[in-house]
Amino acid sequence: MYDIIIIGGGAGGLTVASGAASLGAKTALIEKRESLGGDCLHYGCVPSKALIEAANEIHIARNSSYAGIDASGEVDLGKIMERVNRSVETIQESDSKERFETMGVDVYKGAPEFLGDRKLKVEGDILETKKIVIATGSSVNKPPIEGLDAADYWTNETVFQQTELPRSLTFIGAGPVGLEIAQAFARLGCDVTVLEGGNTILKKEDPSIRDKAMEILSREITFITEARVEKVSDGGKKVYYTKNGKEQSLETDKLFLAAGRKPNTEGMNLTETGVVLDDKGFVHVDDTMRTANPHVFAIGDVTGHMPFTHVAGEHGKLVVQNAFYSLKRKMSYETIPWNTYTTPEIFHLGKTREEVEEAYVYETRLNEVDRFVAEHATEGFVKIITDRKGKIIGAHAIGKGAGDWMQPVVAVMNRGGHIKELSDMVYPYPNHPAALEAVSGQYWRLKLFSGIAPVLSRRYLKWFL
């Protein structure tokens, strides 16, 4: 009898497994793939960032003719992917089966099937437990497009094993994952087209951020919005879509499917547990990450909440507390940031301007920040949204390295802080976070140079100086 069984060896599952084992709980971890680490390590965060870095290096070299550099040669995709996979292998050591077994975790390989609310079968082994955590993640969603089953398309699960660079590459879908990889391939030399069913990209971003991202990315990628893909033929080399009621088509060397994600809940016989799924197959949980069965928790992508590795990790930390100490601590998403790793990067925290009825908006362009000027990286801006008292309720940025230099805002907002706290910080000159100094300075200018403050100041100076 185990104290806890975790199904899924991704970021969330590994967080629970290590936490439970460190508390002395008898712990089992089930993973159907050969290696632990989940999508983030093998098909997402890590390999995509390694690919992006390689593509950016090539892009910079190709556009550095002023320095006498000639980088006009062909790109060897195979060598780039070798570099990408070396990064994965290095990090894999921290997520190895042996490491978790050393912690005291029993690791089972296979696809589990529920035999009861706390009983599972894995490759012939029958396991019983007091608590269960479902952390099975998500996988590529395949939309009902005619001819797709017969097409030879890429996804984020197959792209990092490719060795031949196509001349043209067409993406179906314009979400963050698709855009990151699309821009990387454009920088490697592909003619990239993105087909998006909606009227814009990055729908969850602040409108001004979204517009700026579209403007910048359109220089490298051809976007066709409001395009409904109806059919593919010739093994995926011809794509038929409808735009404005008119049927159109395009030819491509390779097709890339980036049309969202679906939860990995099939085949586990979850009906035996009393766990409830929504109409899309995601596991329904409350704010404590409990399912309809109080002994079963679910975390990460499989819940349908923010599909990010850092969110799965936070879910995992919460579950360790709630599962072993019978607590009911709740998950809050109000101060969870996310980042899209295009170039420039896009940072998102809290509310957008669209989501707030009454708000104060402070904005600074990066061409007003000396470090960005020095680096010729002035394209972008930072925007902070507050309530009327100055409490930060949203922060958004697009710019070089935005995911790094916007972190101080996360700390301030996490404690319910005021925009003036950003102004109170000391920023070594010249650095990138000085963008926060500049934008928070606008709050003081508004306070000091409008309303009653300047009137009182003039009176004081007249009588006492």
Side-chain angles (χ1 to χ4, degrees), residues 82-99:
E82 286 177 10
R83 167 177 160 170
V84 167
N85 287 301
R86 281 197 300 272
S87 300
V88 173
E89 289 166 5
T90 299
I91 297 173
Q92 177 69 68
E93 294 176 10
S94 298
D95 290 345
S96 68
K97 174 185 175 184
E98 293 73 21
R99 178 170 178 262

Side-chain angles (χ1 to χ4, degrees), residues 439-454:
V439 73
S440 58
Q442 292 182 20
Y443 169 80
W444 289 116
R445 286 195 293 275
L446 181 65
K447 287 289 184 182
L448 295 175
F449 303 116
S450 64
I452 192 64

Side-chain angles (χ1 to χ4, degrees), residues 214-348:
M214 185 70 159
E215 175 195 333
I216 294 171
L217 293 173
S218 292
R219 299 169 194 163
E220 303 178 66
I221 299 167
T222 299
F223 288 98
I224 304 176
T225 57
E226 298 182 297
R228 179 182 174 85
V229 179
E230 307 285 355
K231 181 176 72 171
V232 298
S233 66
D234 194 18
K237 293 182 181 296
K238 192 159 187 179
V239 183
Y240 301 84
Y241 62 94
T242 302
K243 181 177 173 66
N244 298 328
K246 182 180 179 182
E247 293 185 2
Q248 302 182 52
S249 66
L250 61 83
E251 295 185 356
T252 184
D253 284 345
K254 188 60 66 175
L255 191 65
F256 195 109
L257 195 59
R261 310 284 293 177
K262 65 177 183 179
N264 294 330
T265 50
E266 294 181 358
M268 289 192 290
N269 196 26
L270 282 172
T271 54
E272 288 292 324
T273 68
V275 170
V276 176
L277 306 181
D278 69 13
D279 57 356
K280 294 183 179 179
F282 291 100
V283 177
H284 177 74
V285 293
D286 63 16
D287 292 340
T288 69
M289 310 313 297
R290 287 177 171 86
T291 68
N293 180 336
H295 305 294
V296 180
F297 296 79
I299 62 175
D301 289 13
V302 77
T303 67
H305 291 294
M306 292 181 171
F308 305 118
T309 298
H310 53 288
V311 172
E314 289 300 308
H315 285 172
K317 294 175 189 176
L318 189 72
V319 163
V320 169
Q321 300 170 64
N322 289 344
F324 291 111
Y325 299 109
S326 298
L327 299 176
K328 292 189 176 181
R329 292 185 174 172
K330 297 181 178 181
M331 182 70 193
S332 172
Y333 301 94
E334 291 182 2
T335 57
I336 296 288
W338 71 71
N339 212 57
T340 302
Y341 293 91
T342 50
T343 302
E345 292 182 6
I346 299 167
F347 173 89
H348 182 120

Side-chain angles (χ1 to χ4, degrees), residues 151 179 247 268 317 324 344 357 367 383 396:
L179 289 181
E247 293 185 2
M268 289 192 290
K317 294 175 189 176
F324 291 111
E357 288 185 11
N367 61 12
K383 172 188 286 190
H396 308 273

